[in-house]
Amino acid sequence: MPEQSLPKARTPEATTGEREAPSAHEAISRRRLLGTAGATGLVLGTAGAAVGYAAAPSEAAAPLTSLGTGRAMFHGKHQPGITDGLQARGHLVAFDLAAGAGRREAAALLRRWSETARRLMAGEPSPHDDTDVARDAGPSSLTITFGFGHSFFARTGLEKQRPTALDPLPEFSSDQLDKNRSDGDLWVQIGAHDALVAFHALRAIQKDAGRAARVRWQMNGFNRSPGATSHPMTARNLMGQIDGTRNPKPSEADFDQRVFVPEKGEPAWMANGSYAVVRRIRMLLDDWEQLPVTAQEDVIGRRKSNGAALSGGTETTAMDLEKTDAKGNPVVPINAHARITRPDQNGGAAMLRRPFSFHDGIDGDGVPDAGLLFICWQADPLRGFVPVQRKLDRGDALSQFIRHESSGLFAVPGGATEGEYVGQKLLEG
């Protein structure tokens, strides 16, 4: 798990005004309201301006909270779900095209998916057979992101358009991969701040697949909810460690260069897109939790309490790799995870990590099946994920406490403009 990690969670916008709750007769669902807003051009900016959900006659309708009003945009230069802040709930799902389905069926599917994503991200019902699961909720910062796997191009006769950056990842000695939960023709990432909104989107996407594609695997994850801490802070993972201190930031001059394919990059249909590496990393929590905190800190190279490097300072203080203790030993151990994953120790290799934690119950031995749904974004995985993971594979102290159980690499094209669907330049170019 390379340390250049999680984006800091965004805090919900505060409400900027108050109003009396509407009567039960006046109250309508926000999803219906936003459907009307989409048709008339009306934009609701704050929770104070939003109409409450429908209530029983004996109750006053409560105003929608700021958590529900958050909205990500479907159309744009990049697809949503890459640079957005961490979301509380997430679903990752891979599909394989059905037997006999090819380029035409794939294009129709991406057209359906894009329209569904556009509507759901705006807080509207899905275009057909909506289940009403999210009827009373706002958009809740829902994002839906689409990508293509290596096998997709052969299935659709588009091998000549397959990027070299999508070549299969090399094998790593620490991998214990389940092939049935790896790869796939198509990949969809769903995230939201509300569990029902996220599930509603997942169900709509699965139904839209129809006979064109079948689910290959699905994984469900979570993060801390916005507002759960007294102040904005870097997230913690299931090992209790602050995780994400050195994640690339959009404010950095080389951020786009590291994360996104350039406008004039190759192939042309990937302009403004990115490559996602997806790994299910199980944490061996029973073993980890037997370590004293000081030993855990040596494994990571940072303080568990506040994320500061063992060389001193605060979470954001630069790590001093040369600092030694009274015996002349490095204060940050040579095999510490944070030392090994530093970009300046890997030829500048960096990636934007935006993962979810997962917990899928207890296995037959009574061990928790829990860990990290690792998702990292980069302009080229051969210059991002691969060199860092190779180095981790050779001697990361954390490796004995984690297990890579599934893997996928997906080409995620740039965002769709108004009137386009995601992947249109590939499928109709």
Side-chain angles (χ1 to χ4, degrees):
M1 292 185 301
E3 191 217 10
Q4 321 132 24
S5 300
L6 316 173
K8 294 186 178 180
R10 299 178 182 175
T11 56
E13 296 178 1
T15 54
T16 57
E18 296 182 357
R19 55 168 290 174
E20 291 184 10
S23 67
H25 178 73
E26 297 171 326
I28 63 174
S29 82
R30 176 168 177 78
R31 226 158 244 276
R32 288 176 55 199
L33 174 66
L34 285 168
T36 304
T40 62
L42 174 67
V43 177
L44 299 178
T46 66
V51 176
Y53 59 78
S58 61
E59 300 174 351
L64 192 71
T65 68
S66 59
L67 189 68
T69 62
R71 177 179 173 183
M73 304 306 295
F74 174 74
H75 295 296
K77 183 177 181 179
H78 310 297
Q79 284 198 59
I82 301 176
T83 59
D84 302 84
L86 290 182
Q87 292 151 302
R89 304 294 297 189
H91 302 290
L92 309 179
V93 56
F95 294 81
D96 285 335
L97 291 173
R103 182 173 176 178
R104 183 178 65 179
E105 290 78 12
L109 175 57
L110 266 296
R111 190 179 294 112
R112 290 196 300 275
W113 274 352
S114 294
E115 177 60 12
T116 294
R118 183 193 67 78
R119 289 175 62 94
L120 295 184
M121 286 175 56
E124 302 170 13
S126 57
H128 44 266
D129 298 328
D130 190 86
T131 61
D132 286 343
V133 171
R135 171 183 287 272
D136 307 306
S140 301
S141 300
L142 173 69
T143 62
I144 305 177
T145 317
F146 303 104
F148 304 110
H150 185 274
S151 55
F152 176 82
F153 296 84
R155 299 293 303 276
T156 55
L158 291 165
E159 293 97 327
K160 292 183 179 179
Q161 292 296 322
R162 184 167 55 210
T164 57
L166 203 57
D167 287 350
L169 296 172
E171 294 184 1
F172 302 103
S173 64
S174 58
D175 284 353
Q176 299 182 39
L177 304 182
D178 179 352
K179 299 298 184 182
N180 293 324
R181 292 198 294 182
S182 298
D183 304 316
D185 293 341
L186 294 155
W187 175 68
V188 184
Q189 173 192 251
I190 297 168
H193 286 322
D194 179 77
L196 284 179
V197 169
F199 173 82
H200 179 244
L202 173 67
R203 186 70 184 124
I205 291 295
Q206 290 174 335
K207 289 171 65 178
D208 275 350
R211 297 181 179 179
R214 59 179 178 80
V215 173
R216 179 180 176 87
W217 54 259
Q218 180 191 319
M219 301 174 189
N220 310 308
F222 58 90
N223 284 304
R224 177 175 276 158
S225 297
T229 57
S230 60
H231 60 278
M233 61 178 294
T234 313
R236 290 185 184 272
N237 59 35
L238 297 189
M239 288 178 161
Q241 299 290 150
I242 288 180
D243 189 354
T245 301
R246 292 189 59 84
N247 223 20
K249 299 174 178 58
S251 59
E252 296 170 353
D254 62 350
F255 179 85
D256 281 2
Q257 179 183 340
R258 292 180 172 189
V259 176
F260 294 110
V261 176
E263 288 270 4
K264 298 187 182 299
E266 292 293 337
W269 66 268
M270 272 296 290
N272 301 313
S274 188
Y275 293 92
V277 173
V278 182
R279 311 273 281 185
R280 186 183 193 269
I281 303 176
R282 185 166 179 175
M283 294 176 171
L284 308 182
L285 295 178
D286 284 349
D287 295 338
W288 175 256
E289 290 163 4
Q290 289 178 10
L291 293 180
V293 170
T294 54
Q296 292 178 355
E297 292 176 339
D298 283 341
V299 168
I300 302 298
R302 291 184 174 274
R303 299 291 178 202
K304 192 170 185 178
S305 59
N306 61 6
L310 297 184
S311 54
T314 66
E315 180 188 350
T316 57
T317 301
M319 183 177 292
D320 184 355
L321 300 182
E322 305 302 322
K323 188 173 182 179
T324 58
D325 60 19
K327 297 181 179 179
N329 298 315
V331 173
V332 180
I334 295 297
N335 62 349
H337 184 74
R339 174 190 282 267
I340 292 175
T341 58
R342 285 171 57 97
D344 57 8
Q345 301 294 301
N346 294 280
M351 65 204 87
L352 175 67
R353 286 186 61 218
R354 194 175 177 275
F356 294 93
S357 293
F358 73 87
H359 179 224
D360 292 335
I362 308 297
D363 67 16
D365 296 326
V367 177
D369 183 7
L372 196 70
L373 299 180
F374 172 94
I375 309 164
C376 72
W377 301 90
Q378 58 256 281
D380 184 350
L382 293 178
R383 294 186 291 110
F385 172 79
V386 171
V388 177
Q389 187 59 34
R390 276 179 172 155
K391 195 165 184 181
L392 290 171
D393 210 35
R394 292 195 296 265
D396 177 23
L398 185 60
S399 62
Q400 62 182 304
F401 301 101
I402 60 175
R403 188 163 65 221
H404 290 241
E405 295 185 334
S406 66
S407 178
L409 171 61
F410 303 95
V412 177
T417 60
E418 295 279 351
E420 284 187 341
Y421 63 87
V422 174
Q424 185 168 337
K425 293 181 177 65
L426 168 65
L427 290 163
E428 297 185 15

